[in-house]
Amino acid sequence: MTRANLKQRIRVIGGHLFNTGADQDPFGLDLLLIEMANQIARSTDCLVGRRYLDTVAGQDEYCAPDIYKVRGIYFLNAGDYSRVRQMNWSTVQFDSRRNDTTASIPDLVIVYGMNRIRFKPAPTDAITSGVMLEGFMQPGDIWQYNANGTIDTSVPTEEHECPLPLVAHDCLVYAVLYQRAMQLRDVPGMQIYLGEYQRRLGDVEAYAAMYHTRMV
């Protein structure tokens, strides 16, 4: 479903939560939609994808905010992306490279925490989309990208397709309704929507496990 389709379905099912005088924030539904889509992705590991980063000459540390579990890191060299060897930040083998301040084509990358990465040596040049990262991710604020890894401006934002798997779309609808019911202290609504949300969240988790995307 597109962003517009999801919002329409939410308003149809939970019209008493959004079509009243209490619904004063024109961006409230959009913010809830983005946040709950991110939460579903993080809870189930159902979305795997890639993000691109621009390199800065001499800078060795970068971050991919939408990817919370990095699994593959690639550096653009001579027009092709090549996988960079990953190493644990705490390993003894990294000690000899830890204070390396030279700049060249990186041949080693360290992942700190979940999505902070450090190249050794640091990239020599500033390269647009010089780094490609793959891993478990959340949709973030932008739902549809073009082939260059930037927002797809050829399609209105409301027509951007939800990047979550199709099985997660109804889950997202009820997640938003549950959060909105909590905001308005609608106790009966909270109980109904929480049950529907949790049941569908289980379906998403089963999907992720079946297709071997769910992390153990």
Side-chain angles (χ1 to χ4, degrees):
M1 285 190 276
T2 65
R3 192 187 299 254
N5 293 148
L6 288 165
K7 290 164 69 173
Q8 181 184 40
R9 184 167 172 77
I10 289 168
R11 288 187 180 278
V12 168
I13 297 174
H16 63 293
L17 299 175
F18 290 96
N19 301 321
T20 68
D23 186 22
Q24 299 295 318
D25 185 356
F27 305 107
L29 180 51
D30 288 279
L31 294 174
L32 279 177
L33 202 59
I34 291 170
E35 177 53 35
M36 296 315 297
N38 290 344
Q39 181 171 306
I40 290 170
R42 292 193 302 266
S43 299
T44 63
D45 290 335
C46 67
L47 183 61
V48 177
R50 61 171 59 102
R51 286 289 183 264
Y52 295 88
L53 301 176
D54 298 340
T55 63
V56 178
Q59 178 176 312
D60 63 356
E61 288 200 22
Y62 299 85
C63 181
D66 290 340
I67 296 183
Y68 57 88
K69 294 177 183 175
V70 177
R71 290 297 176 265
I73 302 171
Y74 306 82
F75 191 82
L76 184 63
N77 182 26
D80 293 319
Y81 286 101
S82 300
R83 181 184 287 269
V84 183
R85 181 167 59 100
Q86 289 180 232
M87 186 178 289
N88 191 296
W89 64 271
S90 62
T91 186
V92 174
Q93 285 81 356
F94 178 56
D95 289 344
S96 62
R97 307 289 298 276
R98 197 177 299 275
N99 298 317
D100 182 1
T101 59
T102 61
S104 183
I105 298 175
D107 59 16
L108 177 69
V109 64
I110 305 299
V111 178
Y112 292 91
M114 299 174 113
N115 60 352
R116 176 181 154 221
I117 62 174
R118 187 179 183 189
F119 288 107
K120 289 299 177 184
T124 308
D125 304 311
I127 307 173
T128 301
S129 298
V131 177
M132 180 175 72
L133 299 103
E134 294 180 335
F136 295 91
M137 60 185 297
Q138 61 185 24
D141 294 341
I142 301 172
W143 280 9
Q144 193 163 314
Y145 290 80
N146 58 29
N148 297 318
T150 58
I151 185 172
D152 186 356
T153 55
S154 66
V155 181
T157 303
E158 287 295 289
E159 297 304 315
H160 283 188
E161 292 285 340
C162 177
L164 294 176
L166 186 61
V167 68
H169 291 187
D170 261 1
C171 181
L172 177 55
V173 168
Y174 283 99
V176 171
L177 290 170
Y178 170 59
Q179 287 297 315
R180 185 60 173 168
M182 282 203 304
Q183 289 178 345
L184 298 182
R185 296 180 175 84
D186 177 5
V187 177
M190 287 167 55
Q191 294 174 339
I192 294 172
Y193 297 135
L194 177 60
E196 296 293 332
Y197 164 54
Q198 289 180 331
R199 180 168 66 84
R200 287 166 173 79
L201 189 66
D203 293 339
V204 180
E205 290 181 318
Y207 165 90
M210 181 181 298
Y211 291 98
H212 306 288
T213 61
R214 187 70 203 265
M215 290 298 296
V216 178

